[in-house]
Amino acid sequence: MTDVKATGKLKNITENFKNVLISDLEADKKKYYFSCLELPIDERTVFYECLGGLGILGDQRAVFKAMIRVSKKQPEFNRMTHIFSVKNKELADYNLEEFKGIKNLLIVEKGSRVYYRHLATAKYLFMDNQTEDILAKRDEQIFINSGTGIPIKNSGFEYMLDRTKEGNTVLRSMLNSDFMLCANNYMKDRIYKKAYLGDGMYAGEFLKIGMPRFDAISKTARPYILKRLEGLGFDPSKKIILYAPTWRGDKRENISYSITELMGRIKKMRRNVPKDYEVYLRVHPLVYKEIYRDIAEDEELREMVIPQTIDTSELLSVTDVLITDFSSITMDFVKTGRPILFYAEDMSEYIKDRGLLLPLECLPGAFAESIEDLCYILKATLDNLDDYNIFYKEKYLRMKWWTGPACEDRVIETLLKNRDIPDEETINNAANDGGNSIRFIKKIFTDNIRSKIHHDETEQDKKAKIVYYISKRDFKIPVLERVKEEIENIDLEKADITILREESDNKAINAYFDTEIPKNIRILLYTNLPYEGDGRSQFIMYDRNRTLGKARFDYIREISKLPVGWSTYSITRK
């Protein structure tokens, strides 16, 4: 018994030492990144990252593949180096092997020293909203942000259960961006400006040229993607029914799922479809990161789940029926015009807790709240495909038009049938022209692009900018109550207010910020670096940029002292 206790203590000491060692190594690499920010910019390098480094996927994949095609006719593009960040090369192996013969492609391990060096020196950064809080974009770099999908559910600072974290997922990377890709006016005005409170804060340009990934939905060769699926053991002769639910849980770091339950649903659906169809599961990337090891070890699960090594847009190009809930995948799949079914057993609870941006009646498909109802509707749909498509045709066309850049609707009037839409041929041609990636390349990879960044000034931009800074030292309810009272007495017709606060694990304090601070006040998180800075003005500038991007303020209200080394002038407007 004594030996067991001694072994346990020794194990704990070893684990603690290991954690400290890993922490020190991470701090060393991030310090190395800051030192690399003073190296020369590599003018011919494009740095890509999608979904936190899952692979060559998404909008980044679409643009990269278009660049390879363009380089065959325009040799100057052959001189460019393409660098993709990958977090787990073993996990992404099947995805990466497609591109092994490309000489000017470099795969770097996310979080490695070589990763940080290229992140600091690449001329072009093409990433999504899942950027690290260490990222401090240099003035010489051009950062294009592919952002997030078109949401059905409440997002950003409007999701009150996790308001601060949810808002910062996009806003932080957005503030560092020169260009923000937008699928439509709704994404620009309703989501990025309002839900993520970018209006009055974001100083870059919204690019409404169509999402590059949409090209893959309309232009991917069917034999190509079926061969890729066959390489993973899936039957290419079967028509594909894809079940793709969004993630569940009150917070991104606290997602909930049941593999047994998901597998049970797939089995029940499979028993109710014709023999020439097969039902597959496509989990949300957040869930996939949790279960990929289970997939590798469980043959039955592996036969059900189409992994993230297959690009979502390319997969949708061969999907015959989509089953989803409140996932933004709906807005991508609608480009195909094929049937969508909506299934959520927690529909009423989800709508109450999370809230929806789009009324259910706008969605182009039938709804089910039980697996039994879903199986019945699915069988009826497959038996009467033409009738199903005709019944939902107008909703499909309205949503297909609304999700594209040609639609001028800034809210959802088109979906509510309050606006006229073009004829079917015009809508289909606009949705499936396949030219979004080429338009991206023409816009971004030209000379003097920096002088072409255009920011449309809004009324919010003209207001006085006030920032409150609060550190953990002052995370006391009486202090926060006084701040809240002070803010509530400011005329928001004349002022734009930001709270910059330190990150904290204190649940009560986090809940106060999420629920008690007025919802039209943006809250930015300041994360301390894992090492002490050197106090130089250059270091302070990098620390400021990674937190605020290009945002500057007219007035600073220091509830707490600003971060070490920050001077008042470093965050005020010039």
Side-chain angles (χ1 to χ4, degrees):
M1 190 71 174
T2 305
D3 291 339
V4 173
K5 286 185 178 180
T7 303
K9 287 181 180 178
L10 181 60
K11 183 179 180 181
N12 288 338
I13 291 170
T14 303
E15 286 297 318
N16 289 337
F17 176 75
K18 182 180 177 181
N19 290 337
V20 170
L21 183 61
I22 291 173
S23 179
D24 286 345
L25 288 172
E26 289 299 316
D28 180 62
K29 284 186 285 188
K30 291 182 177 181
K31 189 174 184 179
Y32 174 71
Y33 167 70
F34 267 56
S35 69
C36 288
L37 290 171
E38 298 182 34
L39 295 175
I41 290 288
D42 189 337
E43 298 287 339
R44 296 187 180 277
T45 296
V46 188
F47 185 96
Y48 306 81
E49 186 172 284
C50 181
L51 297 173
L54 268 180
I56 300 177
L57 301 165
D59 294 295
Q60 288 71 17
R61 175 189 180 91
V63 168
F64 170 61
K65 291 179 74 172
M67 291 276 281
I68 299 303
R69 293 194 300 271
V70 167
S71 66
K72 294 176 181 179
K73 296 181 179 180
Q74 296 176 252
E76 63 269 23
F77 283 102
N78 282 322
R79 296 193 291 271
M80 300 193 77
T81 300
H82 303 273
I83 300 172
F84 267 89
S85 156
V86 173
K87 190 169 185 177
N88 185 326
K89 288 187 179 181
E90 183 181 357
L91 175 63
D93 182 60
Y94 191 68
N95 172 262
L96 301 178
E97 73 174 21
E98 290 181 78
F99 306 100
K100 282 184 178 177
I102 299 176
K103 295 179 180 179
N104 58 340
L105 169 65
L106 176 65
I107 305 298
V108 299
E109 182 182 357
K110 183 171 181 175
S112 65
R113 288 172 72 88
V114 68
Y115 164 89
Y116 284 120
R117 186 175 76 248
H118 288 301
L119 183 64
T121 59
K123 175 68 174 180
Y124 303 95
L125 305 175
F126 185 25
M127 309 169 79
D128 56 20
N129 59 289
Q130 296 186 32
T131 55
E132 289 195 51
D133 57 27
I134 192 71
L135 176 65
K137 189 195 80 71
R138 299 161 68 175
D139 288 341
E140 306 97 311
Q141 291 180 305
I142 296 172
F143 179 12
I144 312 98
N145 193 328
S146 59
T148 184
I150 305 174
I152 293 175
K153 55 185 179 285
N154 274 342
S155 301
F157 290 101
E158 294 177 339
Y159 176 47
M160 300 305 290
L161 291 180
D162 195 22
R163 174 185 170 199
T164 306
K165 286 283 184 70
E166 182 72 14
N168 274 260
T169 56
V170 171
L171 183 59
R172 188 187 193 98
S173 62
M174 185 176 167
L175 295 180
N176 267 289
S177 307
D178 295 296
F179 297 99
M180 198 79 195
L181 290 183
C182 298
N184 55 5
N185 276 323
Y186 178 81
M187 284 300 293
K188 174 170 69 79
D189 294 308
R190 177 63 184 86
I191 304 303
Y192 293 135
K193 285 188 176 182
K194 185 178 180 183
Y196 286 99
L197 296 177
D199 194 13
M201 191 77 160
Y202 178 57
E205 179 178 350
F206 291 105
L207 274 189
K208 201 182 65 167
I209 56 176
M211 301 306 293
R213 68 177 183 274
F214 290 168
D215 294 345
I217 297 175
S218 60
K219 299 299 181 182
T220 297
R222 186 177 181 86
Y224 159 79
I225 189 62
L226 290 178
K227 185 176 180 180
R228 296 287 299 159
L229 288 169
E230 186 177 16
L232 290 169
F234 299 108
D235 187 346
S237 68
K238 299 275 185 147
K239 295 177 183 177
I240 295 173
I241 299 171
L242 192 67
Y243 174 42
T246 190
W247 60 282
R248 290 294 192 276
D250 58 349
K251 299 181 180 181
R252 288 175 180 266
E253 64 268 27
N254 188 33
I255 61 172
S256 62
Y257 58 89
S258 168
I259 294 297
T260 302
E261 189 175 297
L262 290 170
M263 291 175 68
R265 291 173 184 171
I266 296 295
K267 289 176 182 178
K268 288 181 180 179
M269 284 186 257
R270 284 181 170 182
R271 290 196 291 267
N272 286 273
V273 300
K275 291 182 179 180
D276 57 337
Y277 283 89
E278 191 57 285
V279 183
Y280 296 111
L281 175 63
R282 178 71 163 198
V283 296
H284 190 279
L286 288 175
V287 178
Y288 185 74
K289 291 174 183 178
E290 297 288 327
I291 70 168
Y292 73 89
R293 288 190 179 88
D294 298 317
I295 297 172
E297 296 170 1
D298 188 322
E299 185 176 349
E300 185 180 26
L301 182 60
R302 189 165 61 249
E303 185 266 334
M304 290 183 181
V305 179
I306 297 181
Q308 294 288 338
T309 50
I310 299 294
D311 179 69
T312 298
S313 296
E314 293 178 2
L315 175 59
L316 293 182
S317 74
V318 296
T319 295
D320 297 281
V321 179
L322 176 69
I323 301 171
T324 187
D325 43 20
F326 309 106
S327 171
S328 63
I329 199 172
T330 299
M331 305 302 177
D332 291 21
F333 188 71
V334 77
K335 302 290 184 184
T336 69
R338 300 177 201 136
I340 305 175
L341 280 66
F342 296 91
Y343 162 56
E345 298 199 355
D346 61 345
M347 186 175 295
S348 298
E349 181 183 349
Y350 191 95
I351 293 172
K352 178 183 176 183
D353 292 343
R354 177 91 195 205
L356 300 184
L357 292 166
L358 305 183
L360 293 180
E361 58 266 27
C362 293
L363 301 180
F367 292 85
E369 293 188 59
S370 71
I371 189 63
E372 290 75 22
D373 285 349
L374 173 65
C375 290
Y376 175 82
I377 294 170
L378 177 58
K379 186 177 185 305
T381 300
L382 297 178
D383 289 342
N384 303 277
L385 272 177
D386 289 342
D387 291 339
Y388 189 91
N389 289 334
I390 290 171
F391 187 81
Y392 288 105
K393 184 175 181 178
E394 184 181 1
K395 288 186 178 182
Y396 266 103
L397 289 175
R398 285 187 171 277
M399 186 164 283
K400 185 183 287 189
W401 176 247
W402 179 77
T403 56
C407 180
E408 294 299 321
D409 199 344
R410 297 177 183 275
V411 280
I412 58 172
E413 294 303 301
T414 297
L415 300 182
L416 294 172
K417 302 182 181 181
N418 294 333
R419 282 178 181 263
D420 293 333
I421 58 174
D423 60 84
E424 184 175 354
E425 182 179 4
T426 300
I427 292 173
N428 288 334
N429 288 340
N432 303 317
D433 80 338
N436 298 335
S437 298
I438 296 301
R439 283 189 284 272
F440 178 100
I441 291 170
K442 287 181 178 179
K443 172 68 178 179
I444 300 301
F445 300 103
T446 57
D447 293 334
N448 303 317
I449 187 173
R450 183 159 299 285
S451 63
K452 298 178 183 179
I453 295 175
H454 177 72
H455 175 72
D456 290 317
E457 189 175 59
T458 67
E459 290 303 311
Q460 198 71 16
D461 286 315
K462 298 174 185 177
K463 294 179 181 179
K465 301 291 185 294
I466 304 172
V467 61
Y468 284 73
Y469 179 69
I470 312 174
S471 72
K472 285 187 282 191
R473 179 178 295 181
D474 289 304
F475 282 179
K476 304 176 181 70
I477 296 301
V479 174
L480 299 183
E481 287 284 354
R482 288 197 297 271
V483 171
K484 176 186 175 184
E485 183 180 358
E486 184 175 315
I487 288 174
E488 288 175 338
N489 285 311
I490 295 175
D491 184 357
L492 296 183
E493 292 296 317
K494 299 178 181 179
D496 177 280
I497 299 175
T498 299
I499 292 177
L500 177 61
R501 48 154 291 203
E502 272 192 298
E503 202 161 20
S504 170
D505 294 327
N506 187 314
K507 292 182 179 179
I509 292 298
N510 290 338
Y512 186 93
F513 277 106
D514 285 342
T515 60
E516 296 300 321
I517 299 297
K519 67 179 184 179
N520 50 356
I521 305 301
R522 75 177 65 82
I523 303 170
L524 276 177
L525 292 174
Y526 175 76
T527 55
N528 287 296
L529 290 169
Y531 66 92
E532 289 293 328
D534 56 16
R536 293 180 303 136
S537 59
Q538 194 77 354
F539 170 84
I540 297 167
M541 183 186 73
Y542 295 147
D543 195 31
R544 174 198 69 188
N545 287 354
R546 74 184 181 93
T547 305
L548 300 173
K550 298 177 182 178
R552 299 295 179 265
F553 302 92
D554 297 300
Y555 306 100
I556 301 168
R557 180 77 168 89
E558 289 187 68
I559 305 301
S560 313
K561 288 186 178 180
L562 282 166
V564 175
W566 282 36
S567 54
T568 301
Y569 71 84
S570 70
I571 61 172
T572 51
R573 298 199 216 196
K574 294 181 180 178

